[in-house]
Amino acid sequence: MKSPRVRTRVDFAPDCSIGPGKIDLLEGIEQTGSLSAAARALGMSYRRAWLLVHDTNQAFDTTVAELAVGGREGGGARLTDFGRRLVADYRKFEKE
């Protein structure tokens, strides 16, 4: 028998919530500098990852992650200061 787990989701508004999946994705972006690498590490399609980041960016007044289009120099992704603070605050809340 598996032991119970608690997963935290924070609802900011009816169309804006942050939970473990989005936070894991944002942490992956921070660690790899790449949306596609973060998505692969989580077993998620690039499209699903892009939609999650896009929706999260749209939900807040401040951008959470900046995505650069790929091409000759390659793309990339990075969290903004707000995005890093959002992840840190979520993890702190989750721990408490």
Side-chain angles (χ1 to χ4, degrees), residues 35-85:
L35 179 60
S36 59
R40 270 193 309 276
L42 294 170
M44 182 183 300
S45 73
Y46 177 85
R47 177 168 167 68
R48 175 77 176 135
W50 186 91
L51 287 170
L52 288 173
V53 171
H54 176 74
D55 289 347
T56 304
N57 278 339
Q58 295 298 309
F60 292 100
D61 292 336
T62 304
T63 302
V64 174
E66 296 173 339
L67 306 176
V69 177
R72 183 178 251 175
E73 300 298 315
R78 71 173 202 84
L79 297 187
T80 62
D81 289 339
F82 175 73
R84 283 188 290 281
R85 195 168 62 246

